[in-house]
Amino acid sequence: MATVAPVSVRCGIKDVAESPVLAMKEVEIARRLAVVRVRIAAAAEREGLSPLNVRILAVSKAHGSEAVRAGLAAGLTDFGENYVGEGVAKMNELGLGARWHFIGRLQSNKTRLVAERFDWVHTVFREREVMRLNSQRPAASLPLNVCIQVRMQDADARPALPAEEVPGLAALISAQPRLRLRGLMGVPIPDAPRDAYLRLRSLFDELNASGLNLDTLSMGMTADLETAVECGATLVRVGTALFGPRPPR
Ligand SMILES: *Cc1c(COP(=O)(O)O)cnc(C)c1O
């Protein structure tokens, strides 16, 4: 009885077992993933939360498609990219098997590729992009999963939506047939993430109490994922801890 390698089946890749380099990378990423899972579990346990409620988004930006391939083999399912072209190139190389999240700055002239090729976008904060993504999402695809990027601190210069404007945009997104509002995303400035994360969690809870059905609070990266999990993150975006330092572009 031939045993079918589940990885080959899942991602349509035949060369996993044949390439020693890929096999090494796969073992390395599997080891790193185990460490990340322990970090998440320890943080969740400190707050009496279930680590099962925390998903891992593997941020593969600046790493090649072989890193994604090894990540899939190690059991990762969701990959995050900051540049549309780079993400699409990896999708084209890999074929089916991964779920792709756009986590970079959303530019109006790039919304079409995001709408056509990605499964998720975490960085929506303007009405204009909402309308474009909705009209550009192909009818044959499932609705595009959307998180609103929320401004975390007054000092934050990054483009994001102030908290008081989130309910309005959330209502607009919820009304679009080709979009599915999943939750909120935040990138805090480094010095005081805990307060910012707790505020984002409160906003998330308020939106759900007001009748929305959000399941995704996207916050925390390699350096601060424990803090984010303690504050109630349901998805952490992890690059370096899984794939190692990013090669210079
Ligand atoms: C690059 C990036 C990450 C991952 O960062 P690491 O520190 O490598 O884990 C997460 N979120 C966003 C928005 C990013 O740009």
Side-chain angles (χ1 to χ4, degrees):
M1 212 356 97
T3 46
V4 177
V7 171
S8 307
V9 172
R10 205 175 48 234
C11 54
I13 290 153
K14 296 185 194 70
D15 56 357
V16 167
E18 287 148 35
S19 158
V21 174
L22 189 55
M24 256 171 60
K25 215 168 188 141
E26 183 184 320
V27 169
E28 173 66 11
I29 290 179
R31 190 188 63 74
R32 288 167 168 274
L33 175 58
V35 173
V36 169
R37 288 208 170 112
V38 167
R39 290 176 60 186
I40 290 171
E45 197 165 299
R46 280 195 286 279
E47 294 296 324
L49 301 166
S50 169
L52 298 177
N53 291 336
V54 184
R55 283 120 64 204
I56 296 172
L57 174 59
V59 178
S60 46
K61 66 173 177 213
H63 294 280
S65 55
E66 73 289 348
V68 176
R69 202 167 283 184
L72 283 163
L76 290 163
T77 53
D78 290 76
F79 296 85
E81 291 286 338
N82 287 56
Y83 296 95
V84 176
E86 181 187 337
V88 168
K90 286 175 210 173
M91 294 172 203
N92 290 343
E93 282 173 50
L94 287 161
L96 298 176
R99 264 192 302 269
W100 294 94
H101 298 234
F102 185 71
I103 61 170
R105 189 166 174 170
L106 196 57
Q107 295 165 306
S108 289
N109 61 348
K110 297 284 174 59
T111 54
R112 179 173 296 281
L113 271 177
V114 172
E116 288 179 354
R117 301 300 302 275
F118 282 79
D119 302 292
W120 284 70
V121 50
H122 291 229
T123 46
V124 171
F125 68 98
R126 283 192 298 214
E127 187 175 326
R128 188 170 135 83
E129 276 86 29
V130 169
M131 304 319 284
R132 289 176 72 94
L133 289 167
N134 181 64
S135 68
Q136 293 167 342
R137 181 68 170 174
S141 304
L142 291 171
L144 180 64
N145 296 295
V146 172
C147 293
I148 299 173
Q149 185 169 3
V150 183
R151 181 147 91 206
M152 302 290 280
Q153 278 133 331
D154 291 339
D156 192 353
R158 240 183 306 260
L161 194 65
E164 60 274 17
E165 295 176 32
V166 169
L169 196 71
L172 180 74
I173 296 169
S174 300
Q176 307 308 314
R178 307 302 305 136
L179 305 180
R180 181 168 167 214
L181 182 64
R182 298 295 295 263
L184 306 178
M185 181 269 205
V187 184
I189 55 176
D191 39 346
R194 184 175 297 272
D195 285 356
Y197 284 152
L198 288 172
R199 279 198 303 275
L200 196 59
R201 177 72 208 199
S202 302
L203 180 59
F204 179 77
D205 291 339
E206 281 165 29
L207 291 170
N208 273 333
S210 79
L212 292 176
N213 189 15
L214 308 180
D215 65 3
T216 303
L217 185 54
S218 166
M219 58 186 197
M221 323 202 315
T222 290
D224 64 354
L225 69 87
E226 282 89 351
T227 307
V229 168
E230 287 167 15
C231 296
T234 72
L235 180 150
V236 288
R237 304 179 307 269
V238 185
T240 310
L242 291 171
F243 300 113
R246 281 182 279 279
R249 290 182 175 278

